[in-house]
Amino acid sequence: MALPDPSWSADDIVAHLRSIGSEENRAGMARFGINTATALGVGNSDLRPLARKLKRNHERSLLLWDTGIREARLMAAFTGEPRKVDIALCRRWAADFDSWEIVDTVADLFAETPFWRELIEEFAEDDREFVRRTAFAMLAWGAVHLKKEPDAAFLAYLPMIEKYAGDPRNFVRKAVNWALRQIGKRSIALHAPALALAEKLAASSDKTAHWIGKDAVKELTDAKQLERLAAGKA
């Protein structure tokens, strides 16, 4: 097979992925809690460079997703075109989520769509564990990468974080914690309200909220983080 290039079809990509996968990699993924039921055993260290060579292609990403293969779905997220993704597609893909890794990768794509706010609010209200995780993974990613958004856009989500801080499911609580930490680290203006919420949660009698808050307080009061934020303000 020729070297990877943007002309490759979904079938070409899947064939290539099958040729480079390994059982050793599949075993390693399982140790990190990744669902390997459909995995070929190709790590992200190979997938991301491959995606850069293949470039973005919306129609091809749809075909890759429909294979149901872990690596193909990750490639669909890496090479999808956010401006061509509609909200119905996001809902359809979210219904397929079965692993935190898939969620966190696709959340990056979803967060680049024009309707990312609507998705966050909708997915947070959804009781399915991986769908709710998607909302907070999007929020965490957005707090870091959506540089043109005003801080107020993320400040507005602190009440939502507080609302769902009591969800004890592992993949939800970790994402809620992640979102709170990333918002608090975004800017000096967001640090104080995020830390205040973290401290409030840390004082909660609810075991999950307490863990989320305590862990966030630890990171948001770290000396290096405070120095970085102060330097950013300067």
Side-chain angles (χ1 to χ4, degrees), residues 56-70:
R56 291 185 180 269
N57 183 313
H58 176 68
E59 289 72 22
R60 189 183 62 201
S61 74
L62 301 180
L63 297 174
L64 287 168
W65 186 268
D66 286 343
T67 66
I69 298 168
R70 169 200 171 264

Side-chain angles (χ1 to χ4, degrees), residues 96-114:
D96 291 335
F97 289 164
D98 60 0
S99 177
W100 66 263
E101 179 199 35
I102 295 291
V103 168
D104 294 0
T105 305
V106 178
D108 297 358
L109 175 68
F110 287 0
E112 292 187 81
T113 64

Side-chain angles (χ1 to χ4, degrees), residues 154-174:
F154 297 96
L155 181 65
Y157 286 108
L158 291 182
M160 187 181 83
I161 287 174
E162 182 175 7
K163 178 179 179 180
Y164 293 105
D167 190 325
R169 293 174 294 181
N170 186 50
F171 295 116
V172 175
R173 72 184 181 98
K174 287 186 175 181

Side-chain angles (χ1 to χ4, degrees), residues 23 39 62 93 106 141 149 158 160 173 179 187 195 199 205:
E23 285 300 316
L62 301 180
W93 282 17
V106 178
W141 189 92
E149 294 293 335
L158 291 182
M160 187 181 83
R173 72 184 181 98
S187 70
L195 178 58
E199 291 173 337
S205 59

Side-chain angles (χ1 to χ4, degrees), residues 1-229:
M1 183 179 290
L3 293 175
D5 70 61
S7 70
W8 272 21
S9 68
D11 288 342
D12 292 333
I13 295 169
V14 171
H16 177 69
L17 293 172
R18 290 188 186 279
S19 72
I20 63 174
S22 74
E23 285 300 316
E24 182 180 359
N25 283 342
R26 289 183 79 251
M29 292 167 193
R31 288 194 291 272
F32 284 95
I34 294 171
N35 186 339
T36 59
T38 65
L40 302 176
V42 184
N44 282 344
S45 60
D46 289 315
L47 293 177
R48 289 185 181 276
L50 176 61
R52 289 193 289 271
K53 293 175 182 177
L54 294 171
K55 309 297 182 185
R56 291 185 180 269
N57 183 313
H58 176 68
E59 289 72 22
R60 189 183 62 201
S61 74
L62 301 180
L63 297 174
L64 287 168
W65 186 268
D66 286 343
T67 66
I69 298 168
R70 169 200 171 264
E71 287 80 359
R73 286 186 164 178
L74 291 174
M75 291 301 298
F78 291 146
T79 63
E81 298 179 71
R83 295 295 169 178
K84 293 184 179 181
V85 171
D86 61 37
I87 199 164
L89 177 67
C90 295
R91 291 168 179 151
R92 187 162 68 251
W93 282 17
D96 291 335
F97 289 164
D98 60 0
S99 177
W100 66 263
E101 179 199 35
I102 295 291
V103 168
D104 294 0
T105 305
V106 178
D108 297 358
L109 175 68
F110 287 0
E112 292 187 81
T113 64
F115 43 83
W116 64 272
R117 295 177 183 82
E118 183 178 347
L119 281 179
I120 286 176
E121 293 172 7
E122 178 181 327
F123 287 167
E125 293 177 359
D126 196 303
D127 194 50
R128 289 172 291 181
E129 182 174 9
F130 287 118
V131 178
R132 182 168 291 169
R133 180 184 175 91
T134 306
F136 294 98
M138 289 176 63
L139 189 52
W141 189 92
V144 176
H145 297 284
L146 297 181
K147 305 292 188 182
K148 294 182 179 180
E149 294 293 335
D151 283 349
F154 297 96
L155 181 65
Y157 286 108
L158 291 182
M160 187 181 83
I161 287 174
E162 182 175 7
K163 178 179 179 180
Y164 293 105
D167 190 325
R169 293 174 294 181
N170 186 50
F171 295 116
V172 175
R173 72 184 181 98
K174 287 186 175 181
V176 173
N177 168 264
W178 181 22
L180 177 56
R181 289 185 288 108
Q182 294 305 101
I183 290 175
K185 293 188 295 180
R186 178 180 169 91
S187 70
I188 195 71
L190 287 174
H191 180 265
L195 178 58
L197 175 56
E199 291 173 337
K200 180 179 180 181
L201 295 175
S204 173
S205 59
D206 181 272
K207 183 178 179 181
T208 303
H210 171 75
W211 176 84
I212 289 171
K214 183 179 179 181
D215 187 74
V217 167
K218 181 180 179 181
E219 183 160 352
L220 295 178
T221 56
D222 177 76
K224 290 184 179 179
Q225 291 294 344
L226 294 174
E227 289 174 8
R228 184 186 62 80
L229 285 169

